[in-house]
Structure formats: structure tokens, C-alpha cells
Amino acid sequence: MSLIGPGIISVFGIAFLAAWSYDRRRPYLVLLAAACALFALGASSQILYWPRDTGLNAMVSGALYTCAVIAAVEGVLSRSGRAFGLWIDIAIFAAFSLALWYFFYVDRSLLARIYVQNFGYGLLLCVAALRLSQLRRGRVVDRILFWTLFLFGLHFFPRTVFTVGVSPPAGEPAFADSVFWQTLQLSLAVLGAASAMATLAAAVSDLIDDLRRERDLDHLTGLLNRRGFETEIAAPMRRAPEGGALILCDVDHFKSINDTFGHDVGDVVLQEIGTILRRTARKGDLVGRWGGEEFAVFLPDASRSDAAECAERLRQTIANSRIPGLDDRSVTASFGVATIHEAGDWAALYKLADSRLYVAKASGRDRTVDRGMSAERSPREPVA
């Protein structure tokens, strides 16, 4: 029965390892898997009383527990880029090992060893939680992770005081049957499993978010693709149904660029245009690649004059830029601008901006059109 706790934690270790094998860009998952394995080994060492020498058993199990806590802390902190670092980890391990050695071989005291480990591990977990205090303002899964980690660390203090006090169990048989040991196993099985579950949920949430970002991003430019763009604008359009504008941008004579300089240079042109749009647009604007050589910019809370001014700034910046691989040839783009106030909903907004983009290209290119075409008139035909 005593091995149930280590067994449960081992299952979480396998889950962390499986998650890492799916996405190896997350080395913190290996640390968390190692933490579970080290804890299971440490608990098994004590439960099975191996090695048989009492002092050696205390040192081995203590070293395994300490490494497990350090690995767990560093794994959780590494996820947020707040890890302590190797030298601090070594110092922490050395401090625990030295204290356990001293209170066994120099001034033998089971009570001191219990307090060193429990108060030390609890303090380490609480410090880690406080280093992640920004998670309290994050996603639900991050808030759960913070509070679970903090409470897991905090529980070491009252549990130790109330179950041990100042009178440790006398001898190994009494220790194994003590309230402290039984409570320790129960709390680690419950709170340890809860912490592992919260951390695993956060890791899985990270994986899902990354998959969603990869799905919604254009891999060439790093901008939102059409699906991602339409997903992102849904919220601002609901918040301000009459205060926003859409700018559609189409690179002029892009087929000629591909034919003359090759598709590699064409890709560079698209990347540079994407960078210009992202850098030049207003803070808070959404920028996406609509497909091919067409881009889109959504401006929340913008009037037609604001959007037209922004489109002109984008157009001029593109025209004045020099893109590698094109020799002395300049690149221009045409822009169509429409507002939610004119259109009413997303479908009409896109249709109106698209019709004005068509007019810009049909009337000479390298220009911005923000008026003069109704949403019902959309003679959309490809213009090379």
C-alpha cells in the first residue's frame, strides 16, 4: 500500500515523458519526468529500506528527494523562463546533503533531519511559486498551477509541526507507523498528484496553444493567416461594432517579380512587405497575410480618415523601401480601405475593401482608395 503514492507519481512521470516525445522543444518536460522518477525512487528507497545501512539509507533517500524537488522546481520555472540555473541547483543540493550528513554522522538527530527536509523543500517550492507570481494574472490553467504549487509548498510547514512537533518517532519501525509518515505519504500522494496534474495540464495547454498558433500563422511571413485573422478580429468587432476599419493591400506586379527574379526573391519580397506592415501599422492593429501577395490590416476603433492615413503611410513606406535581391527595382502596393460604419458586418466590410482595392489596381496601382465604391459593386477579377 505504501508504494501507491510513488506509483501514482510515476504515472505522471510517464505522461510528462510522452508529452516531451511529442514536442521536444520543451526540455522542461524532461525535468518534470525526472522529478517524478526521482521522487518514486526516493520513496521506494525508504519504504523498502534499501540500502540496509540506516545512515546510507538516509543519505540516499534524502539525495533522491532533494534532486526530485530541484528538478520539479526547475521544470516549472523553466516553462516560464525563470529557472534558478545549474550552479544554484548544485548549491541547494550540497546544502541539503551537508545538513543531512551532519545531523546523522556528527550530531545525530532524526528530528533535525525531518525539519531540514520538510521545511527546506516547502521553502523551495514556495519560493518557486513566488517567482511565478505573474501566473496569477494569466490563464485559468496558469492560475491553478500557481496556487497548487504554492499550497503544496506551504503545506510542508503545518503538517510537519502538527505531526512531529518536538518528539520524533523512536526507531525505524516506529517511524514507519508514525502519524508523521502516514500523513506524509497521504499528503504527497494527494497534493503531489494535484501539483503534477496542474503542471501537466499547463504543459498540454501550451502544446494546444502552439498548435493553434501554427494553424493560424503564415509560415513565410509570421503574420496571421486568413483563418487566424478572421478569428482574431471577431472580438474587437463585437466590442466596437461601428468603430473599426479594414485595409487590404496587394503587391503590384508580383507575378512579374517572380518571373524576373525567381520565387526565392518573391518570398523575400513578401517577407519584407509583412515586416513593413507589422512595423508601420499602429499599436493594437491586426496584420495578416490574406493569401498570395495580398495582405490585410484591421484597425480597431478607427475612422475612415484614420484608416486612409494609415494606408497611405504603409503605401509610402513600401514604395520607399529597398528590398534585397531586386537590384534597383522598387516595389509598390495598392490599398483598399473600408470601415465597419459603412459596411455593417464582416462580410460586407471585406467585400467593400476588396472592391476598393480592385479600383486602386485598375486605375494605375500604387494608390489608396477609401471611398467611391459601394458594397454592392464588387467587380473582383484578378489583375496581374
Side-chain angles (χ1 to χ4, degrees):
M1 292 293 291
S2 298
L3 291 174
I4 291 177
I8 293 173
I9 300 301
S10 297
V11 171
F12 281 105
I14 295 172
F16 284 125
L17 202 58
W20 173 77
S21 67
Y22 180 79
D23 186 354
R24 302 197 176 190
R25 296 171 299 177
R26 304 178 187 280
Y28 73 84
L29 293 171
V30 178
L31 285 172
L32 294 171
C36 293
L38 289 165
F39 170 79
L41 289 172
S44 300
S45 173
Q46 279 193 303
I47 294 168
L48 300 176
Y49 197 55
W50 184 91
R52 292 295 178 182
D53 179 79
T54 303
L56 192 56
N57 183 275
M59 293 301 297
V60 169
S61 62
L64 290 170
Y65 281 137
T66 301
C67 287
V69 174
I70 292 173
V73 164
E74 287 293 70
V76 174
L77 291 177
S78 295
R79 173 178 173 264
S80 299
R82 302 294 304 277
F84 289 127
L86 178 61
W87 291 111
I88 294 180
D89 293 340
I90 292 174
I92 293 171
F93 177 79
F96 274 104
S97 298
L98 182 61
L100 293 176
W101 175 83
Y102 178 83
F103 286 115
F104 190 90
Y105 291 105
V106 178
D107 183 12
R108 188 164 181 171
S109 171
L110 175 59
L111 182 66
R113 295 201 307 274
I114 289 174
Y115 273 95
V116 164
Q117 285 186 275
N118 284 271
F119 276 29
Y121 297 156
L123 180 63
L124 191 56
L125 290 165
C126 286
V127 169
L130 293 176
R131 283 176 66 85
L132 298 175
S133 57
Q134 76 277 4
L135 295 183
R136 291 178 298 172
R137 299 180 295 275
R139 301 170 301 174
V140 172
V141 68
D142 290 322
R143 296 199 295 270
I144 292 174
L145 174 60
F146 168 79
W147 286 111
T148 303
L149 182 65
F150 183 68
L151 293 175
F152 182 43
L154 199 62
H155 100 282
F156 277 85
F157 300 97
R159 175 180 53 74
T160 305
V161 171
F162 290 135
T163 58
V164 175
V166 294
S167 302
E172 288 73 21
F175 183 79
D177 294 330
S178 67
V179 174
F180 165 74
W181 178 253
Q182 300 300 327
T183 306
L184 172 66
Q185 295 303 307
L186 177 62
S187 65
L188 290 179
V190 175
L191 292 177
S195 297
M197 186 175 296
T199 308
L200 183 61
V204 171
S205 179
D206 291 343
L207 290 173
I208 293 172
D209 285 347
D210 279 357
L211 290 174
R212 185 179 293 115
R213 278 192 292 270
E214 290 177 3
R215 179 199 66 189
D216 292 344
L217 289 181
D218 173 60
H219 295 292
L220 180 63
T221 62
L223 301 176
L224 292 167
N225 58 26
R226 182 165 184 164
R227 174 173 182 156
F229 190 89
E230 291 184 335
T231 300
E232 289 293 325
I233 66 170
M237 286 195 70
R238 284 196 302 270
R239 288 195 299 267
E242 295 184 358
L246 176 67
I247 299 173
L248 292 183
C249 163
D250 196 287
V251 181
D252 296 330
H253 304 293
F254 185 70
K255 183 177 184 301
S256 173
I257 293 173
N258 271 338
D259 292 343
T260 304
F261 298 96
H263 288 276
D264 289 344
V265 174
D267 288 346
V268 172
V269 170
L270 294 176
Q271 290 170 338
E272 291 293 322
I273 296 295
T275 300
I276 291 170
L277 295 177
R278 182 166 44 204
R279 186 178 62 236
T280 310
R282 309 175 315 165
K283 183 179 180 180
D285 292 345
L286 295 175
V287 183
R289 182 184 175 199
W290 209 246
E293 66 271 26
E294 191 169 304
F295 297 83
V297 182
F298 181 77
L299 295 76
D301 302 317
S303 65
R304 184 168 65 182
S305 60
D306 293 334
E309 180 182 340
C310 180
E312 269 299 290
R313 186 170 65 251
L314 296 171
R315 186 189 64 79
Q316 292 172 13
T317 303
I318 292 172
N320 294 330
S321 299
R322 290 294 174 263
I323 297 178
L326 292 182
D327 301 329
D328 294 329
R329 177 168 174 171
S330 61
V331 174
T332 63
S334 302
F335 291 81
V337 179
T339 64
I340 298 175
H341 179 72
E342 298 174 280
D345 59 22
W346 164 247
L349 176 67
Y350 171 73
K351 187 176 182 180
L352 183 56
D354 188 53
S355 67
R356 289 173 177 171
L357 173 61
Y358 174 84
V359 172
K361 294 184 72 70
S363 58
R365 297 184 174 86
D366 189 21
R367 63 189 62 201
T368 298
V369 173
D370 66 315
R371 65 185 69 201
M373 174 70 71
S374 68
E376 286 74 28
R377 294 177 59 200
S378 181
R380 185 58 165 153
E381 297 176 2
V383 178

